[in-house]
Amino acid sequence: WPIAQAAWMSLHEWSFTAPDHPFVGLGNYGDLLGDSLFWNATRTTVVYTIAAVPFQIGLALALAVALNGKVRGRAFLRSAFFIPVISSLAVMAIVWQFLFDPDIGLVSAWLLELGFGRIAWLREPGSALVAVILVGIWKMVGFNMVILLAGLQGVPAEQYDAAAIDGANGVQRFRHVTVPGLRHTLLFVAIVSVISSLQAFDQIYVMTKGGPL
């Protein structure tokens, strides 16, 4: 019903304070398609998604494989990587604003110690996009890691044993046993990650207010 109601509202000149809502047909969509800001936002969203999703999945898979074995502090590490998922995105975006601040931010301070120049992360178009992509990756990796960890639990240990007996090394076992065993889980993670990236509004708005550019 909310989807149907939103579609119906989009066909009207709608204001919550006005008593009347004149029908305008596809006029709103025509205005949208002719709006340069809409196309800029769409292009930026696509770039954000293409850049963030592969890292969200790749890093999550690496963490899941690492934490699926016998690692000291495994339970703590799993929880630590998952904390960003359950944290308020608006609050975390504000925290990252301070971290990326060119004058007082820790990120800039670390880069200066490494010999890099001072970067105004959220004030320049190129670096601002990189900054929000990094935060998007940080936010989503923990969720993907937990899902992939659950998927790894379902891969039969006998397949790894058989591959080892056949002489497969670690890389070959990962390629021919782990990845095929996770294909459905990876598909699910990819779909969820793409949807999350296409809906990345609140994080970007809190960090940059929609700018620069």
Side-chain angles (χ1 to χ4, degrees):
W1 170 248
I3 295 174
Q5 180 68 6
W8 178 249
M9 291 169 63
S10 73
L11 302 177
H12 295 74
E13 185 179 330
W14 199 282
S15 171
F16 288 101
T17 59
D20 299 320
H21 311 294
F23 182 80
V24 295
L26 298 177
N28 289 326
Y29 291 97
D31 293 340
L32 189 67
L33 295 176
D35 189 344
S36 60
L37 293 178
F38 166 76
W39 289 112
N40 182 67
T42 301
R43 181 172 57 255
T44 304
T45 302
V46 171
V47 171
Y48 175 94
T49 302
I50 293 173
V53 169
F55 285 100
Q56 290 173 353
I57 298 174
L59 289 175
L61 180 58
L63 290 172
V65 171
L67 296 180
N68 191 46
K70 295 181 180 179
V71 180
R72 181 185 295 272
R74 180 174 61 178
F76 169 78
L77 291 173
R78 289 178 177 179
S79 301
F81 285 116
F82 191 72
I83 284 176
V85 180
I86 60 176
S87 303
S88 167
L89 187 53
V91 173
M92 290 299 100
I94 294 174
V95 171
W96 278 100
Q97 272 187 311
F98 283 102
L99 290 174
F100 281 126
D101 189 280
D103 300 316
I104 62 173
L106 282 177
V107 175
S108 295
W110 292 335
L111 290 176
L112 285 174
E113 289 294 327
L114 293 174
F116 294 93
R118 195 178 299 275
I119 302 175
W121 285 97
L122 301 177
R123 301 175 189 173
E124 298 293 334
S127 58
L129 185 56
V130 171
V132 296
I133 287 172
L134 290 175
V135 176
I137 294 171
W138 169 83
K139 178 70 176 177
M140 198 67 184
V141 160
F143 175 83
N144 290 344
M145 179 199 70
V146 169
I147 301 299
L148 291 169
L149 269 171
L152 285 171
Q153 308 298 319
V155 180
E158 294 81 5
Q159 294 185 10
Y160 290 103
D161 296 335
I165 292 173
D166 290 338
N169 57 32
V171 175
Q172 291 171 328
R173 290 196 296 271
F174 175 80
R175 178 182 176 185
H176 297 290
V177 179
T178 303
V179 173
L182 289 176
R183 60 185 182 276
H184 297 302
T185 308
L186 285 170
L187 177 61
F188 171 78
V189 165
I191 292 173
V192 172
S193 297
V194 169
I195 293 173
S196 174
S197 295
L198 292 176
Q199 294 178 334
F201 172 80
D202 44 0
Q203 166 209 335
I204 297 172
Y205 185 76
V206 172
M207 291 182 66
T208 69
K209 300 296 185 294
L213 304 180

